[in-house]
Each structure stands twice: as structure tokens, then as C-alpha cells.
Amino acid sequence: MKKLAKYFNKNVGVLGLGKSGKAAVKFLLHSKAFVFAYDDNIKIQKELKNCNWKHFSNWDWKNLSCVVISPGIKICGEKKHEVVNLAKQHKVKIINEIQLLMDQKPEGKIIGITGTNGKSTLVSLISHILTKNNIKNSVGGNIGIPGCLISEKGDNSVIVLELSSYQLLSIPSLKLDISTIINITPDHLDFHQNFNSYKNAKLSILKFLKKDGKFIFNSNDDFLKPIIQSKVEKKKIIKVSNSKKPPYINNIQLTGHHNTLICNIATEICKLLGIKKNDIYKSINNYVKLPHRMEVIYNSKKLLIVNDSKATNGDSTAAALSSYKNILWIAGGLAKKNGIKKPLENIENVLHIYLIGSSKELFKKQICNINSIIPVTECDTLEIAVNSIFNQYKKFTRQITILFSPAAASFDEYKNFEHRGNQFKKIIVKLLHQRFQNVNF
């Protein structure tokens, strides 16, 4: 971690002290800045040392050089945070912790990844390919370590940044050698208020591409295609497809059109970084997918079990439903704006639907409005749903897929999607041990 002279003895505010905020405090104190810090969770104050803990309205605004905000703090639109007006009044710049990385002027190439679904999988796949081919790399931003704590690895290294719509709004000097938008579908509308605002936040990644940079996108995406072609110079564009399945992929964890697109984007990025095609393909085939993202947790001739707890919106679940056959589908949680409508366009492979969580009545109503053939069972808990499936799957003569893909947020019953996915895996492990004493998984 570098020390930056520009923050030496400067007053800097840090608002929001989650993972990224704490990292910003650590970096700024290392650079000998004088840090004002505040979070609504007062308990965090005990964890911080050498900071001036004050409510943001009482900071020394006349002498602040900048304010570092956490990604979830709204800085635009009607319901923007009060800190925005204070910063504007005192002509203080608002940034996030990734800007602190850019202030360090890293020597290696920087790749920016955004999109509604698939960001973390793409970032981790790129990092995996680079590591397997002996290219030093770091992963940060919305995944891995916060950007400002990334250690510089030299001019032959690569930094892969996962960038959320929140983060893209407050990195003024972001410069990218390669970037991509995987997709844009409605999400986080509670934060952005409307889809147009969310879309524009994602599209802001385009303005950060260097003059000699390259932008990779799905040429089959009817929504993105005209936007990209009108906003990005033709010489900078590399087109890929989500429909042409690469013959080299035989990784069971990367099935479906969604993962085909991710593999194709990763391939083009790694080719630009000097890796040969065959070496890329070998790396893809030994890649182990991140937990909770169409994660295969059991596979036999009779049964395939997939944990897709990360599917917190309808588009993500729709991708999962189109990737498997003979599906016993568990869905439900805290419903988002469009409920379960999008996944219902992809239910031709579904044999039975099990609904859980606070959304189960809404989801059942939406299902019944579209379909009256596929049976639907409401369950009080996830464990009851899984037990119900295990009591009936043996009646089928072909391989059955148990797919846990909620199409909803987790916060009605769980801390986050990881907690929800881990609970699903615990239930599965218990049942497999009970029913198949000698099973290996």
C-alpha cells in the first residue's frame, strides 16, 4: 500500500464505514491524512482508532479536501444524501475508495467489469485464467479487496475491477484499458428510482475507456447494441456472442447462454492481454465457479443439485432456468419490483415449483396468471421445500435438477445471499448423508 503525498496532513471525510469505508480510513491514515469519520452504526466507532468521529454535518467542511463515501450512499436523484448538498455548498469533491486506487497511478493494465448479472463470475474467471498463465493480477472493487488496498505488482500486472452502478458514479479519474458491460436489466431501482437512472449509471463506464482502450460487448444484446455503437468508436469495439456455444467448454459449471457470454468475454479480454487461445480454453475448463452462482453442489446420473442463491432478480433466475432440464425449482424471498415475471418466460423445463419466503403468495399469483399446468407448492421454510423435493424426485426416470434460484432478495429471512445459499447447502448435505450413506460429494 502506497503513501500518497496529496493526502499528507489533509482533512478528509469518510462517510459510511462498511468494508470499503474502513479500507479508505486505513489507506488515508497510512498516508498521514487527518480523517473525519461517521456511520449511522455508532458501534463501529470502537473499531476505529486515530479518527475524528463526528456527525458529517459537524465536519470541518471549510477545510476538507474531499469526502470518501460508501457505494450505497445515494449521491444523485431526488432522495440524495444530505452530504451532497454540504459538499456542493463548500466545493468539496465526493469520491469513493476506488478513486484512492487511481490516485496511486497503478502501472499495470486496468480492466473494468460491470453489468446487472454475472460480474463476479466474469471477474473471477479472468483472474483464474491470468493466474494459470503466470500473469500477476489483483481483483478488487465490488469483489475481493477494496480497490485502495490493492498492492501494486508492476507494469506487467493486471488489476480487474468489478464496478457496481453505485461505484461508477463517484470515480472521477477512472482510466480503463479494457472494459465491458455484460448486460443491463432492471435492478436496484429502490436506489436509482427508475431504470433510466440505473442504466445511465452503468453506461458511465464508457467514458472511462482510454484512447487506445478496447470495449467488449454482446452483439446479440438488442438493448445494448445500438447504445454501444453510438457511444463507442468502432475501432475500440470487440463483439462477442452469447448464442454461439464455444466447442472448447466442457465445464459443467459454465452451462447456458449466460455463461457462454461470460466465457467469450473472458476469452477476448485475455487474448488482448497476450494469452494464447488454447491456454485460455484449458484454464476455463478447470475453473471452479464462485459459490452461490449456479453452483453445482451434487451431480449423479439421477440427480443434479444447483445452488443459485445469488439470483436475487428475475433475469438471473431466467438464465438459470434456461440452462438445465427437468427442473424442480425452489424460488422466493423478498420480492423485487417485477416479482417473478421474467423467469416465467423460461419455464418450459420446469416440472414443479416450490415457493418460500415472504413473496410466496405474490409469486403463486403471478405463476397462476401465466401457467395452470406446472404444479406449485407453498412451503413455510426452505428446509420443508427441500424435504418435499427429496420425497418425490425418485418417481422420475430421468436425471432431475433441483434448482435453488430465488429470483428475490434474501433479507426477509437471511443476512444476505451467502447466508441463504449456505443454509441450502447445509440442508442438502444433511439429506444426502441420511439417504445415501456412502455418497461422495
Side-chain angles (χ1 to χ4, degrees):
M1 181 167 52
K2 289 182 179 178
K3 288 183 180 179
L4 283 185
K6 72 177 287 186
Y7 294 111
F8 180 73
N9 277 344
K10 295 292 178 62
N11 295 332
V12 181
V14 179
L15 182 61
L17 293 158
K19 183 178 178 181
S20 66
K22 289 176 182 176
V25 168
K26 182 178 180 180
F27 174 80
L28 290 164
L29 290 175
H30 181 71
S31 294
K32 305 300 181 183
F34 185 78
V35 179
F36 291 87
Y38 184 74
D39 190 285
D40 290 338
N41 183 358
I42 304 299
K43 294 178 182 178
I44 297 175
Q45 182 177 3
K46 295 179 181 179
E47 301 175 29
L48 298 178
K49 297 179 180 179
N50 303 318
C51 286
N52 189 347
W53 182 281
K54 282 185 179 181
H55 190 274
F56 62 87
S57 61
N58 296 321
W59 289 349
D60 183 12
W61 281 96
K62 290 182 179 179
N63 296 304
L64 282 184
S65 60
C66 66
V67 174
V68 183
I69 60 161
S70 289
I73 293 174
K74 188 168 175 56
I75 61 169
C76 59
E78 294 177 5
K79 297 180 180 179
K80 59 178 177 272
H81 196 280
E82 185 184 346
V83 75
V84 176
N85 292 328
L86 285 167
K88 186 176 181 180
Q89 179 184 340
H90 293 92
K91 298 181 181 179
V92 175
K93 186 181 292 186
I94 291 178
I95 64 173
N96 65 41
E97 59 85 17
I98 298 176
Q99 179 58 44
L100 299 178
L101 167 67
M102 301 311 299
D103 288 340
Q104 298 173 56
K105 302 189 185 308
E107 297 176 9
K109 291 187 181 298
I110 301 179
I111 301 169
I113 308 293
T114 197
T116 304
N117 298 306
K119 296 186 297 296
S120 296
T121 297
L122 177 56
V123 168
S124 68
L125 179 58
I126 292 168
S127 178
H128 169 79
I129 296 168
L130 295 176
T131 300
K132 286 291 181 182
N133 289 277
N134 301 312
I135 295 178
K136 293 178 181 179
N137 67 94
S138 304
V139 168
N142 204 43
I143 185 177
I145 65 172
C148 64
L149 299 184
I150 290 175
S151 298
E152 179 60 63
K153 296 183 178 180
D155 59 358
N156 292 320
S157 65
V158 177
I159 295 173
V160 190
L161 295 176
E162 178 182 322
L163 300 167
S164 71
S165 57
Y166 312 148
Q167 291 168 322
L168 284 166
L169 294 171
S170 48
I171 323 172
S173 64
L174 179 63
K175 299 295 180 185
L176 301 172
D177 295 278
I178 306 170
S179 62
T180 189
I181 301 173
I182 304 169
N183 45 48
I184 301 180
T185 57
D187 203 7
H188 301 301
L189 300 187
D190 53 340
F191 181 93
H192 291 281
Q193 293 185 274
N194 56 63
F195 177 60
N196 194 53
S197 176
Y198 172 69
K199 176 196 72 176
N200 289 335
K202 289 290 188 187
L203 289 173
S204 66
I205 196 173
L206 301 176
K207 68 184 180 184
F208 298 123
L209 194 62
K210 291 180 179 178
K211 287 185 178 181
D212 58 348
K214 295 294 181 182
F215 184 86
I216 294 148
F217 85 104
N218 176 15
S219 61
N220 299 124
D221 190 321
D222 293 333
F223 175 73
L224 273 179
K225 187 176 179 179
I227 298 173
I228 300 304
Q229 291 180 332
S230 66
K231 290 181 176 291
V232 183
E233 293 177 66
K234 189 175 181 180
K235 66 180 182 179
K236 293 184 176 183
I237 293 176
I238 296 176
K239 298 178 182 179
V240 296
S241 168
N242 69 334
S243 58
K244 187 177 180 181
K245 186 176 181 180
Y248 52 83
I249 295 178
N250 54 21
N251 187 331
I252 192 173
Q253 297 193 58
L254 294 170
T255 58
H257 291 303
H258 186 63
N259 283 314
T260 295
L261 174 60
I262 284 172
C263 289
N264 285 338
I265 293 174
T267 297
E268 291 303 322
I269 288 174
C270 291
K271 281 167 57 182
L272 289 170
L273 295 171
I275 305 175
K276 295 178 180 178
K277 266 190 179 182
N278 287 341
D279 293 327
I280 295 170
Y281 302 161
K282 288 176 186 176
S283 301
I284 289 174
N285 283 329
N286 61 34
Y287 168 72
V288 178
K289 204 168 188 184
L290 291 170
H292 315 300
R293 298 157 173 87
M294 289 172 63
E295 175 191 14
V296 176
I297 57 176
Y298 181 76
N299 186 25
S300 69
K301 290 182 179 179
K302 187 72 176 175
L303 191 61
L304 175 67
I305 304 176
V306 181
N307 166 33
D308 193 33
S309 179
K310 180 62 171 69
T312 59
N313 59 56
D315 288 275
S316 188
T317 290
L321 290 174
S322 66
S323 300
Y324 304 101
K325 296 180 179 178
N326 309 319
I327 300 169
L328 302 178
W329 172 29
I330 305 172
L334 184 63
K336 292 196 173 179
K337 187 173 182 179
N338 292 322
I340 205 171
K341 290 180 181 178
K342 185 65 177 181
L344 295 180
E345 299 173 11
N346 295 67
I347 57 173
E348 61 272 12
N349 294 322
V350 176
L351 304 174
H352 197 124
I353 303 172
Y354 298 81
L355 298 177
I356 62 170
S358 62
S359 66
K360 57 179 180 282
E361 291 183 10
L362 170 65
F363 281 13
K364 185 174 183 179
K365 183 178 179 181
Q366 290 182 324
I367 293 166
C368 292
N369 287 339
I370 293 174
N371 164 78
S372 58
I373 299 173
I374 300 173
V376 178
T377 301
E378 293 182 69
C379 302
D380 288 337
T381 67
L382 177 58
E383 188 166 11
I384 290 172
V386 176
N387 274 282
S388 298
I389 289 174
F390 267 71
N391 288 334
Q392 75 147 319
Y393 88 87
K394 285 187 177 181
K395 73 180 184 182
F396 298 101
T397 57
R398 53 202 185 278
Q399 188 192 49
I400 294 300
T401 301
I402 299 175
L403 175 63
F404 179 44
S405 189
S410 58
F411 306 121
D412 56 338
E413 296 184 86
Y414 303 96
K415 295 176 183 176
N416 46 45
F417 74 84
E418 293 97 339
H419 180 214
R420 178 170 65 182
N422 286 331
Q423 289 300 113
F424 175 69
K425 290 197 279 189
K426 284 180 181 178
I427 295 165
I428 293 295
V429 166
K430 180 181 176 182
L431 284 173
L432 288 175
H433 274 307
Q434 287 175 352
R435 304 198 179 209
F436 312 111
Q437 293 295 318
N438 297 319
V439 70
N440 292 314
F441 57 91

